[in-house]
């Protein structure tokens, strides 16, 4: 039992570290948004989706920065706030973080589908993904992210809500995996055809290896970044008392 208690001790991460990571993330995403807005050549549905993804991640950073800043000020006695006000602020910040997380995952899925359409329906892409449809898609994602997050914060003690979030993460992960593997398979098929015509199998093998590495890095980074958060939610559902 003593060993079990030692293994289950909490991990305290300094608020200063959260502030530093939040600032770095905020600056990075601001640069992405500024680049897309400033460069007219990037005013297309694909980059609009990337811009929305950056805004979602930026909102996560801002929410964490505000929360950690208030915690630091209260810890050092600089700021004194009533408990009821703290609860309301915590609910607002949690709702903003949750909606940002859901919208970030959603736009990752939208970008994947957009890339899929670009490759498999290249000649019809501009008629399929029009500016109007892109705007409707973005508005729908933001709306669909805000409403569930409000429900989540209200009923976060309910395991069904947590399971919905976990299921959504797995859905986006599987969607990206299936679509990117399909795109990779098509690229390999084209490379094989070109290689057989030019009789250069070395180029084909090298390109296939690069494509496989790129796909692995893309999905690996996605899982590494979001995996811990949803693994934590799984632990809350499976081990509620510890």
């Amino acid at each position: 039992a003593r060993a079990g208690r030692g293994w289950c001790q909490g991990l305290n991460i300094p608020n200063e570290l959260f502030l530093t990571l939040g600032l770095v993330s905020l600056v990075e995403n601001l640069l992405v948004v500024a680049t897309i807005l400033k460069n007219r050549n990037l005013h297309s549905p694909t980059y609009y989706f990337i811009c929305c993804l950056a805004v979602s991640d930026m909102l996560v950073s801002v929410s964490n920065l505000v929360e950690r800043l208030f915690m630091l000020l209260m810890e050092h006695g600089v700021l004194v706030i009533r408990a009821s006000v703290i609860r309301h602020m915590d609910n607002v910040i949690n709702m903003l973080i949750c909606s940002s997380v859901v919208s970030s995952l959603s736009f990752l899925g939208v970008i994947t589908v957009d890339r899929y359409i670009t490759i498999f329906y290249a000649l019809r892409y501009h008629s399929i993904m029009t500016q109007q449809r892109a705007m409707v898609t973005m508005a729908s994602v933001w709306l669909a992210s805000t409403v569930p997050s409000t429900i989540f914060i209200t009923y976060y003690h309910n395991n069904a809500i947590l399971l919905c979030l976990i299921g959504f993460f797995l859905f986006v992960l599987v969607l990206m995996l299936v679509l990117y593997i399909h795109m990779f398979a098509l690229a390999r098929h084209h490379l094989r055809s070109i290689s057989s015509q030019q009789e250069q199998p070395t180029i084909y093998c090298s390109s296939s290896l690069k494509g496989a590495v790129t796909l692995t890095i893309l999905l690996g980074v996605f899982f590494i970044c979001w995996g811990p958060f949803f693994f934590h939610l799984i632990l809350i559902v499976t081990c509620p008392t510890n």
Side-chain angles (χ1 to χ4, degrees), residues 2-95:
R2 186 177 301 171
R5 285 195 296 270
W7 185 83
C8 292
Q9 286 180 352
L11 177 64
N12 295 320
I13 301 175
N15 287 325
E16 291 80 3
L17 178 60
F18 276 107
L19 283 173
T20 303
L21 292 174
L23 283 171
V24 171
S25 177
L26 177 62
V27 172
E28 288 177 344
N29 288 296
L30 274 174
L31 289 174
V32 173
V33 173
T35 301
I36 293 174
L37 293 179
K38 187 175 180 179
N39 193 337
R40 291 184 177 275
N41 295 326
L42 302 181
H43 291 183
S44 64
T46 298
Y47 289 102
Y48 290 155
F49 297 146
I50 294 174
C51 184
C52 286
L53 175 63
V55 171
S56 299
D57 294 336
M58 190 167 59
L59 288 175
V60 177
S61 302
V62 170
S63 303
N64 277 303
L65 282 172
V66 171
E67 184 178 37
R68 297 298 162 178
L69 185 61
F70 272 105
M71 289 176 67
L72 279 174
L73 292 174
M74 287 187 291
E75 283 178 5
H76 291 84
V78 178
L79 192 64
V80 179
I81 306 176
R82 289 184 301 175
S84 58
V85 177
I86 292 175
R87 283 196 301 272
H88 287 304
M89 288 175 58
D90 190 50
N91 287 335
V92 171
I93 291 174
N94 286 338
M95 187 185 73

Side-chain angles (χ1 to χ4, degrees), residues 15 33 146 153 164 170 175 188 198 207 222:
N15 287 325
V33 173
T146 304
I153 297 304
C164 287
L170 294 176
L175 175 70
R188 285 189 70 226
Q198 297 179 351
S207 299
F222 171 80

